[in-house]
Amino acid sequence: MKLNFAGRELDLSRCHVMGILNVTPDSFSDGGLFNSRESALLRARQMVSDGASFIDVGGESTRPGAAAVSTQEELDRVCPVVEAIARELDAVISIDTSNPKVMAEAAKLGAGLINDVRALQREGAPEVAAKAGIPVCIMHIQGEPETMQKDPRYRNVRRDVSAFLVERMRVAERAGVRPEDIILDPGFGFGKSVDHNYQLLASLEQLHILGHPLLIGLSRKSMLGAVTGRDVNERLPASLAAATIAVMKGASILRVHDVRETVDAVSIVRAAKEAV
Ligand code: 7PM
């Protein structure tokens, strides 16, 4: 299962690690430390040398209650970083945005993947993604980031998430996104209770039958805090356990804060899978 990310081919039958690079002033676990272009680049270099195949560059906080960001502000945050990483580093740049203008600009500057937590629901997004001609991650979300955690409800969370993803895939394909370029993500924490999240994690295999690679984001999420009682910066062991489960259930890309540690966990799963 090979995918072409703006000229970089990756075999997604193996699991790859995506490092999170927040370029927002209010990023929840980087504390806004990596804001300037230089510090973002420093962090990206470290993640690539730690084994990240992807760097997920995000300039709009998806944190519930975070202020909306203007297109210009998001472009100003993200473009210099995308450009610098594309010039210097051997990694696929993933652009974490819902804004079609940002998608288009980032693709021009060398981004190889569109990661839209709103599943291309913004006006014009499916068409821009198609025109960019790079793979797209379609993530499940219920509601809008501002309000999604207020009493999320499902008839059947596994079926509802699948149905949503199938519907958004159809929209993307109708706009011209190639089916082979679609990556799916159940969207842990995006309009889901703790129980919903664990039900989805327990049945990740079921999403696999849709036939697309899976991208999974569990790193430091509150569903891990809910079980361990740990604060966000104390969730590495729980994150690694969750990552291990996801790889064992067939995830192709893990979106994480702690690249080096996750690469180790992935390598153990691979060694055990390949042993005869
Ligand atoms: C507040 C709420 C802060 C949520 C940060 C988050 C995912 C993603 C994010 C994911 C994909 C976080 C999230 N999570 N993109 N972006 N999948 N594709 O905890 O699970 O990092 S932001």
Side-chain angles (χ1 to χ4, degrees):
M1 206 199 288
K2 283 224 167 78
L3 241 71
N4 190 317
F5 299 93
R8 282 195 169 77
E9 275 223 330
L10 289 179
D11 176 9
L12 294 189
S13 59
R14 298 217 266 164
C15 185
H16 297 265
V17 172
M18 169 185 279
I20 300 169
L21 186 63
N22 287 315
V23 288
T24 61
D26 62 345
S27 347
F28 86 121
S29 58
D30 284 336
L33 283 175
F34 299 106
N35 238 327
S36 75
R37 198 181 83 145
E38 298 329 307
S39 45
L41 197 53
L42 220 57
R43 180 104 177 92
R45 271 189 210 119
Q46 184 65 52
M47 293 195 289
V48 172
S49 80
D50 285 345
S53 307
F54 297 83
I55 302 293
D56 191 40
V57 180
E60 188 217 11
S61 180
T62 36
R63 177 195 211 148
V69 179
S70 73
T71 297
Q72 195 55 53
E73 174 69 29
E74 197 180 342
L75 286 168
D76 290 346
R77 288 177 186 175
V78 145
C79 290
V81 176
V82 170
E83 205 172 11
I85 297 174
R87 188 179 328 115
E88 190 192 319
L89 295 174
D90 182 21
V92 175
I93 299 164
S94 159
I95 178 70
D96 181 352
T97 190
S98 300
N99 185 321
K101 293 203 178 85
V102 178
M103 292 173 190
E105 199 53 35
K108 255 191 245 164
L109 295 173
L113 172 67
I114 293 169
N115 176 27
D116 180 6
V117 301
R118 291 180 183 80
L120 307 177
Q121 293 184 96
R122 290 257 172 95
E123 177 83 42
E127 292 72 23
V128 167
K131 190 146 179 259
I134 56 179
V136 186
C137 175
I138 295 182
M139 196 195 80
H140 175 271
I141 180 170
Q142 185 180 83
E144 273 281 312
E146 297 71 33
T147 51
M148 64 190 179
Q149 289 306 97
K150 286 187 185 142
D151 193 25
R153 281 166 197 261
Y154 296 87
R155 213 162 48 94
N156 175 322
V157 70
R158 306 162 217 253
R159 280 212 310 251
D160 294 358
V161 167
S162 289
F164 174 95
L165 292 175
V166 168
E167 167 60 20
R168 296 311 303 165
M169 276 200 284
R170 283 210 193 98
V171 171
E173 288 171 20
R174 250 186 275 125
V177 175
R178 304 182 327 144
E180 317 87 88
D181 279 346
I182 297 178
I183 296 171
L184 298 178
D185 183 338
F188 287 103
F190 285 85
K192 293 161 189 92
S193 69
V194 173
D195 280 351
H196 294 143
N197 285 315
Y198 283 98
Q199 284 162 17
L200 286 168
L201 183 56
S203 59
L204 262 196
E205 305 90 342
Q206 286 180 25
L207 279 183
H208 231 118
I209 62 174
L210 296 177
H212 293 264
L214 297 181
L215 189 160
I216 298 297
L218 288 158
S219 183
R220 301 185 187 174
K221 286 197 173 173
S222 61
M223 61 184 281
L224 308 176
V227 169
T228 59
R230 304 284 182 210
D231 192 76
V232 65
N233 289 314
E234 301 293 331
R235 293 180 190 158
L236 176 57
S239 297
L240 295 176
T244 303
I245 295 170
V247 198
M248 290 189 70
K249 289 174 176 281
S252 294
I253 304 170
L254 300 177
R255 180 182 179 278
V256 305
H257 301 86
D258 305 284
V259 171
R260 188 168 60 98
E261 293 85 347
T262 309
V263 167
D264 279 1
V266 169
S267 72
I268 298 303
V269 177
R270 178 151 71 235
K273 273 185 176 167
E274 287 173 358
V276 282

